[in-house]
């Protein structure tokens, strides 16, 4: 009924037809897609494009006479700059450390709490708590704990039976990277915990029952049932945490005032310490390129070709 | 056998306790430091504050514009998150419901823009804003934060629309609704709990970021709380205790929100409409 009525009321003016095409017809996807993409282009596309332009120029705030040229100077400098390669190496170590650490803590917490019945909610709340802390707050708290002279960490370690002595956690070049990784792992391991808990709950209990009937001990059950069953979750979480590690900035920047240069910190320092926005942009683009590789791996794992998430 | 099982259970219990202590200790230490008299955290010898004081918190209001910073944070986070949600919703709907060429590419672009390091955006954006006169303004910070929040809003709203059966919109279309009004009057109200979750996520992302406000804005009165908290270096040394008191105030609303909405954020999208 209704349809017939609306059918008779098809607009005849050109404007009306346009409006109909947009709100109800073939152009409807355009109405939905174009405005958001314009905004996304404005806040991300334009800055990225500007970064490309800057990286082929020499915009240095302290030497304005150099600006306005087209040059490969920054990329040549990038390739031959040992501090950039040191930053790449450091970023790799940081990613490795945070991925391994977060998975170890997150998986342990998930394995230890998966079957408890009492206090299940409380356990979950506790292990998610660090994730609700902003990275900047995590950095401040760990900074206070790491302090060599009155930090609580050195006092806790002094309780150990063997002597370690007073460690300048954030100043000693041998301990600064592990110290940063520990702070980051504390902050982000709940992500791994949540993923693993969901993955473990999806394993059918019958598998374990069958294994017990066959006489498999806990260790064998873990290796032959649990690990193979969660390997997909594991792959996703490895890539996700690697992306987090690459993006990491607040904890490193705040705890070492930018002395520990990963790719993100190096990008920042080049721009806001040396005021060389062109060189900073070229490092930033290198970081974007690395992140794109990780994103493509992540997509291969999580998205089917029709765009639906698994 | 039973003895071995008992030892194993004890080991598991001990491991769990160790994990819980590692997880909670930094939060405990933040509380201890925040309530220790200013300058006295250096003299703590045990694991308890020497005396408990609220002076660090009153100091934030008398010595620093903490209330002003918090208000700026509310303003920036609400604006960035609301705008991103409004815009992202449509894109998420299109990606979920409409089949069109290039939708996979758009998904890739959206996810990639969420995952690229924000410092790579910060640097060219600073250069752009310097030319456009947007440095040292709240609007500039909001724009910067939209770049952090919008991809997430698109991604999440796609997920929420995916979880709503399309039948109800089909019914509305048979009743004579256009596609736009079916979206507006049927799909969006159904996705409302999801929209709340998106708003909260966006709000929290913006609330937590100090990098954009700290470096785009030089006027201290325009800083957000996140930017303000990172600037507690006194003339001679960092004022740890008031800084951690500020961090506590700053983190608390989000922690509370997080736990109130925990279930809703995870599974809220089907509440209401269809069950």
């Amino acid at each position: 009924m209704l349809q017939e009525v609306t059918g008779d009321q098809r607009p005849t003016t050109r404007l009306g037809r346009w409006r109909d095409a947009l709100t109800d017809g073939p152009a409807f996807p355009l109405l939905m897609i174009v405005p958001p993409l314009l905004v996304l282009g404005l806040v991300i596309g334009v800055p990225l494009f500007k970064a490309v332009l800057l990286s082929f120029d020499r915009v240095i705030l302290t030497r304005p006479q150099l600006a306005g040229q087209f040059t490969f100077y920054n990329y040549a400098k990038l390739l031959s700059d040992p501090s950039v390669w040191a930053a790449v190496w450091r970023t790799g170590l940081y990613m490795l450390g945070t991925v391994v650490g977060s998975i170890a803590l997150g998986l342990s917490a998930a394995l230890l709490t998966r079957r408890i019945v009492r206090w299940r909610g409380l356990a979950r709340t506790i292990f998610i708590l660090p994730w609700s802390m902003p990275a900047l707050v995590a950095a401040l708290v760990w900074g206070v704990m790491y302090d060599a002279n009155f930090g609580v960490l050195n006092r806790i370690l002094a309780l150990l039976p063997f002597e370690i002595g007073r460690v300048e956690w954030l100043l000693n070049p041998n301990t600064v990277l592990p110290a940063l990784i520990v702070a980051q792992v504390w902050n982000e391991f709940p992500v791994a915990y949540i993923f693993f808990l969901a993955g473990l709950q999806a394993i059918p209990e019958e598998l374990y029952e069958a294994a017990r009937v066959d006489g498999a001990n806990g260790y064998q059950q873990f290796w032959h049932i649990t690990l193979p069953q969660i390997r997909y979750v594991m792959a996703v979480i490895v890539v996700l945490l690697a992306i987090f590690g690459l993006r990491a900035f607040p904890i490193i920047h705040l705890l070492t005032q930018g002395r520990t240069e990963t790719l993100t910190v190096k990008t920042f320092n080049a721009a806001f310490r040396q005021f060389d926005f062109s060189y900073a942009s070229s490092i930033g683009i290198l970081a974007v390129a690395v992140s794109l590789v990780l994103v493509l791996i992540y997509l291969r794992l999580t998205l089917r070709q029709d765009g639906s998430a698994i | 056998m039973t003895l071995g099982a008992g030892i194993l259970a004890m080991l598991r219990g001990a491991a769990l306790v160790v994990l819980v202590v590692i997880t909670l200790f930094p939060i405990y230490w933040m509380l201890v430091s925040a309530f220790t008299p200013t300058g006295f955290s250096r003299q703590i010898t045990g694991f308890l504050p020497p005396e408990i004081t609220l002076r660090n918190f009153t100091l934030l209001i008398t010595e620093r514009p903490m209330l002003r910073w918090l208000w700026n944070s509310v303003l920036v986070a609400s604006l960035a998150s609301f705008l991103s949600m409004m815009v992202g919703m449509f894109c998420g709907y299109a990606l979920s419901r409409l089949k069109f060429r290039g939708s996979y590419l758009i998904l890739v672009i959206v996810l990639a823009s969420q995952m690229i390091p924000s410092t790579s955006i910060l640097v060219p954006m600073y250069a752009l804003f310097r030319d456009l006169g947007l440095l040292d303004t709240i609007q500039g910070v909001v724009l910067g934060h939209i770049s952090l929040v919008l991809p997430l809003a698109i991604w999440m709203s796609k997920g929420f629309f995916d979880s709503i059966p399309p039948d109800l919109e089909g019914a509305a279309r048979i009743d004579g609704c256009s596609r736009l009004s079916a979206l507006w009057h049927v799909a969006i109200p159904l996705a409302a709990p999801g929209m709340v979750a998106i708003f909260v996520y966006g709000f929290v992302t913006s609330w937590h970021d100090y990098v954009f406000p700290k470096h785009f804005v030089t006027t201290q009165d325009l800083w957000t709380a996140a930017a303000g908290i990172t600037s507690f270096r006194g003339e001679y040394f960092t004022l740890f205790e008031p800084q951690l008191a500020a961090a506590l105030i700053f983190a608390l609303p989000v922690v509370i929100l997080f736990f109130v909405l925990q279930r809703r954020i995870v599974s809220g999208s089907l509440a209401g409409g269809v069950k």
Side-chain angles (χ1 to χ4, degrees), chain A residues 188-233:
Chain A
E188 74 182 18
F189 89 86
V191 179
Y193 170 72
I194 296 166
F195 270 71
F196 282 131
L197 205 59
L200 290 175
Q201 271 156 0
I203 304 176
E205 196 58 32
E206 294 85 52
L207 289 178
Y208 291 105
E209 278 159 23
R212 270 193 293 268
V213 170
D214 291 345
N217 62 27
Y219 178 75
Q220 287 166 328
Q221 287 176 26
F222 178 75
W223 271 108
H224 296 290
I225 300 174
T226 310
L227 265 191
Q229 288 281 324
I230 60 168
R231 65 165 192 264
Y232 170 72
V233 174

Side-chain angles (χ1 to χ4, degrees), chain A residues 23-24 155 186 247 253 284, chain B residues 45-46 114 120 173 179 210:
Chain A
T23 60
D24 207 18
R155 285 198 284 116
W186 177 80
R247 287 177 50 108
H253 178 234
Chain B
T45 47
Q114 188 193 326
S120 300
R173 301 246 300 130
R179 294 169 92 165
Y210 75 94

Side-chain angles (χ1 to χ4, degrees), chain B residues 47-62:
Chain B
F47 295 99
L48 288 169
E51 65 178 281
I52 289 180
T53 174
L54 290 174
R55 228 183 79 76
N56 295 321
F57 294 92
T58 54
L59 211 92
L60 296 176
I61 295 164
T62 56

